[in-house]
Amino acid sequence: MSNKAVLIGEFRKFFKFLIQEMKPRGKWLTPFNIISIPIILLGLVILFFRFTKGLGSVTNLSQQFPWGFWIGFDVVTGVAFAGGAYIITFVVYVMRVEKYHSIVRVTVLNGLLAYIFYAGALVLDLGRPWHIINPIIGNSFGYNSVLFLVSWHFLLYMIAEFVEFSPVIAEWAHWEKVRKFVSALTLGAVIFGITLSMLHQSGLGALFLMAKPKIHPLWYSEFIPILFFVSSIFAGLSMIIFEGIISHKVFKDLIGEKSHYSYEEIILGLGKGAAIAMFVYYFFKALIFIHEKQWVLINDFWGYWYLVEVIGFVLIPCFMFAYAVRNRSIGIIKIASVLALIGIILNRLNISVIAFNWDVANKYYPSWQEIVVTLMVVFSEIWAFRWIATRMPVFSKEN
Amino acid sequence: MNRRNFIRTTATISIAALPLGKLNAQENKEKKEFVGVLVDTTRCLGCRLCEVACSEEHGNYVPDVKNDHALEKIRDTSEKQWTVVNRFETKNGEVFVKRQCMHCWQPACTAACLTNAMFKTKEGPITWDGDKCMGCRYCMVSCPFDIPKFEYNKWNPKIQKCNMCYERLQEGKKPACVQACPKDALLFGIKRELMEVARHRVYSYPDKYVHKIYGEHEVGGTGWLYLSAVPFEQIGFRTDLGTTPYPEYTKEFLFSVPLVLFGVPALLFGLNLLTDRKNELNKNERWENE
Amino acid sequence: MEFYYYVNIFETKGLEYLLLICFLVLFILMVRYISTSDKKKS
């Protein structure tokens, strides 16, 4: 009896706390809010039409281009960008490199939110989303499908990331016992999460293995899964650098000088990792280029476009990272990380949209509604991130 | 009972108890040969009665074949029509080619489907189940012939494609298009027998046909087979698809998944233990040094 | 219609191994290039 009363009391206290935390903090009319609120509202209107009138009413998808910007950018690119979480947890929890401990929480939060929002954007693209539960339960296990694997891994990885992040939530809600319990699960969740990441990062590439006659031969290779995995490493690292620079400006007062490794040192370390990963990736590309004898394809528009991607946005940022690390230049690292991210966007979009059915007369290009909805997804992710980052102890190190 | 006898009797009993014989019998009963259709493009007149019959059978858009001049341009199957006939101008004159799902032996679409909504029935036709499909359109991405079509302008979209009139086959009838063909350009049957017919025609009239039966080996073999008087590239067929069944392209990746899931966690855990040991050693050394 | 002839699927193997050797040499140079500065300054 008294136990129950205590429980109800606790629950009420937590509920009050939650209500109090829901309230917005700080100024309302920031430039970011002024831009993002109308776009999110507009996106919701577009989504209303999308769910009542069908995908064709707001997208430029066609029978020849069943997957467009929502899959190619939101899901395939977004998940590559979220790769930072598995790399940092590997370095910190598995290899026990203390240097990066101070960015673990924020990176895991970014990864978790990226999966919830970007992989969640998959639901918007499904024609019959009320059946999304079918591959998870029931008698409809399509084990033979790469997408089956990818969707299961999304789900499991979100759970693993949530477990990795849950100590922060418990700390925020002052649940000391829960915090101790979930902290003990961290290493298990990390190991499971890294394994899942390896598989679904490459699985996103493996999705396109059966589209062999449709993808331009310069981008199609039986090694797409390996290329996707390796490129997700430097995509994740570049994203951490990029996000770190922004959040260092925006959340300046939240980031204390708790870590005795300076922020600069961390960025340089990440840049070093990115340089090496990109170097290896470039030679993977070169190996495939030789193996498939692709030099006969290089002397036309698609060949030049391929060179732009591989040299302009892989090799050059790779050298920039290396140069910046040697000369300890944060400025060049920033530029290199942006170039590397553009390179990832180009690569993923090339495979899923641009060089997909490259010889078809009616090429696909995203409609403005598709772009607005994509922006909506990105902005709402930033909103969620900001809400959590200003309330939970995300930028601190203790664990 | 001595020992040898005992062993002998138990051995005989256990072998008899093994359901080997039964298994074999079942296998034979379950084994149904895949059916298909042989299309002889030299016989087709382009009357498009197959289009009408198909749409009537499945409640789709019925084209007005006399007045719509649809043959003037090359069409693709659509979410409204599961089959279309196209006209190609070749040096042998006009050639009409019917287009629909090829009903591959090892279909890419069913391998792509994560809910088993695309399903290869044991008789051969590939069917679609709306209660399972979640509309991801991965089948459309994977199909080498670009056959599955999606209803983009409905809130409750379906994947539309030929199902070889699976309901009619269950009743022992032929597909509607085959039934409707006035010139015997379409021949329905078991693929093994259709191949014999097709080869017989090619060998009997070696000058009339090109010596290739499209669908014999393409993407691992298809249910629909085509004969032609002109090279297949000239009448709208892709001849660069290869003979590998499409699911083979993802087979290696899918096989490696359990391997990674077995091996990598153990490897990571091992790495973690190693680093821990190193830290401990460092501490101990320091202890001794002090 | 179908042609039968020999296709050497390992035709580029020599070039691939050559690339591998180049890669290893360049990789060592790259790692040395990146690592030396760290010691120098910190």
Side-chain angles (χ1 to χ4, degrees), chain B residues 25-197:
Chain B
Q26 248 172 359
E27 222 169 72
N28 282 339
K29 223 185 270 171
E30 294 256 322
K31 229 181 227 169
K32 276 196 179 170
E33 271 188 79
F34 283 169
V35 291
V37 176
L38 173 66
V39 184
D40 192 333
T41 57
T42 60
R43 296 186 180 190
C44 180
L45 296 176
C47 68
R48 295 170 62 210
L49 287 178
C50 50
E51 286 185 25
V52 175
C54 174
S55 288
E56 281 173 352
E57 175 68 28
H58 302 286
N60 293 334
Y61 165 75
V62 181
D64 179 7
V65 286
K66 279 192 183 132
N67 306 315
D68 65 358
H69 304 290
L71 286 174
E72 274 160 27
K73 57 175 192 274
I74 304 292
R75 293 172 300 156
D76 193 2
T77 59
S78 69
E79 71 272 27
K80 296 191 184 97
Q81 270 188 287
W82 290 359
T83 183
V84 292
V85 176
N86 282 317
R87 180 175 61 193
F88 293 91
E89 297 292 340
T90 65
K91 60 177 191 297
N92 289 24
E94 289 178 332
V95 175
F96 297 97
V97 182
K98 181 181 181 299
R99 191 177 151 84
Q100 74 298 306
C101 175
M102 300 289 283
H103 297 279
C104 308
W105 262 205
Q106 290 283 326
C109 56
T110 60
C113 187
L114 73 166
T115 58
N116 287 338
M118 279 286 176
F119 185 68
K120 179 84 177 164
T121 57
K122 56 183 184 298
E123 293 87 351
I126 296 159
T127 58
W128 176 79
D129 182 350
D131 289 335
K132 292 183 173 177
C133 175
M134 57 190 236
C136 67
R137 308 192 291 289
Y138 186 30
C139 50
M140 300 170 71
V141 171
S142 304
C143 177
F145 301 105
D146 274 328
I147 288 301
K149 296 284 146 64
F150 184 78
E151 297 176 322
Y152 283 105
N153 290 313
K154 282 190 183 159
W155 72 271
N156 179 15
K158 293 190 183 100
I159 295 284
Q160 298 283 9
K161 78 174 236 339
C162 162
N163 64 357
M164 221 202 268
C165 291
Y166 187 60
E167 314 82 21
R168 287 174 63 97
L169 297 193
Q170 297 291 81
E171 297 165 15
K173 294 190 219 159
K174 292 175 182 175
C177 52
V178 178
Q179 192 85 47
C181 185
K183 291 298 287 182
D184 281 338
L186 305 176
L187 181 65
F188 173 76
I190 294 166
K191 179 168 174 179
R192 184 169 44 84
E193 290 166 6
L194 292 179
M195 281 306 301
E196 281 170 8
V197 174

Side-chain angles (χ1 to χ4, degrees), chain A residues 21-245:
Chain A
E21 292 282 276
M22 287 306 269
K23 282 181 200 150
R25 288 178 188 177
K27 276 191 300 184
W28 257 101
L29 289 174
T30 57
F32 174 72
N33 285 1
I34 290 170
I35 297 170
S36 65
I37 290 172
I39 285 185
I40 290 176
L41 292 177
L42 184 61
L44 290 175
V45 174
I46 293 170
L47 284 184
F48 173 77
F49 284 109
R50 177 252 166 277
F51 280 110
T52 51
K53 296 263 165 69
L55 276 164
S57 62
V58 294
T59 65
N60 279 349
L61 296 175
S62 63
Q63 306 297 355
Q64 277 156 326
F65 290 92
W67 285 357
F69 201 59
W70 287 353
I71 296 284
F73 184 78
D74 298 17
V75 180
V76 179
T77 314
V79 167
F81 285 170
Y86 81 86
I87 298 153
I88 290 299
T89 52
F90 171 73
V91 170
V92 173
Y93 291 115
V94 178
M95 301 306 291
R96 295 179 205 253
V97 181
E98 275 302 304
K99 181 173 165 185
Y100 302 103
H101 210 140
S102 58
I103 60 164
V104 160
R105 285 182 166 188
V106 65
T107 312
V108 169
L109 175 63
N110 264 319
L112 176 63
L113 289 178
Y115 272 84
I116 291 174
F117 282 86
Y118 300 143
L122 192 68
V123 179
L124 307 178
D125 197 71
L126 291 181
R128 305 162 75 84
W130 51 92
H131 285 158
I132 192 171
I133 203 78
N134 271 356
I136 311 287
I137 55 143
N139 57 351
S140 316
F141 285 145
Y143 321 101
N144 38 23
S145 170
V146 179
L147 198 58
F148 176 79
L149 173 96
V150 170
S151 58
W152 262 96
H153 279 197
F154 278 178
L155 181 75
L156 293 176
Y157 188 61
M158 277 189 222
I159 295 170
E161 291 240 282
F162 184 76
V163 171
E164 285 167 33
F165 188 68
S166 53
V168 183
I169 300 175
E171 209 173 289
W172 163 72
H174 308 292
W175 296 330
E176 196 42 36
K177 271 185 193 160
V178 177
R179 195 191 70 80
K180 272 197 183 136
F181 175 71
V182 287
S183 294
L185 296 177
T186 301
L187 181 65
V190 163
I191 287 178
F192 191 50
I194 295 165
T195 315
L196 291 174
S197 287
M198 278 180 79
L199 285 172
H200 70 240
Q201 293 285 0
S202 49
L204 281 173
L207 283 180
F208 295 96
L209 286 175
M210 279 201 289
K212 190 175 188 226
K214 298 177 195 172
I215 295 174
H216 191 282
L218 278 171
W219 282 275
Y220 183 88
S221 147
E222 56 191 304
F223 300 109
I224 290 184
I226 296 169
L227 290 177
F228 266 51
F229 172 64
V230 176
S231 57
S232 81
I233 294 174
F234 63 81
L237 290 171
S238 305
M239 199 65 196
I240 299 172
I241 296 171
F242 182 69
E243 279 169 345
I245 289 158

Side-chain angles (χ1 to χ4, degrees), chain B residues 190-215:
Chain B
I190 294 166
K191 179 168 174 179
R192 184 169 44 84
E193 290 166 6
L194 292 179
M195 281 306 301
E196 281 170 8
V197 174
R199 287 209 187 95
H200 181 76
R201 286 188 197 167
V202 173
Y203 296 152
S204 310
Y205 305 97
D207 301 329
K208 187 177 166 193
Y209 293 103
V210 290
H211 289 221
K212 178 186 170 75
I213 301 159
Y214 193 91

Side-chain angles (χ1 to χ4, degrees), chain A residues 14 20 145 161 188 248 271 347 359 363 374:
Chain A
F14 177 67
Q20 189 197 333
S145 170
E161 291 240 282
H248 247 249
N347 176 256
D359 49 357
K363 279 294 293 180
T374 299

Side-chain angles (χ1 to χ4, degrees), chain B residues 248-265:
Chain B
E248 300 263 335
Y249 290 118
T250 55
K251 193 185 77 181
E252 275 148 38
F253 176 76
L254 288 171
F255 276 10
S256 71
V257 167
L259 290 181
V260 171
L261 278 169
F262 288 148
V264 172

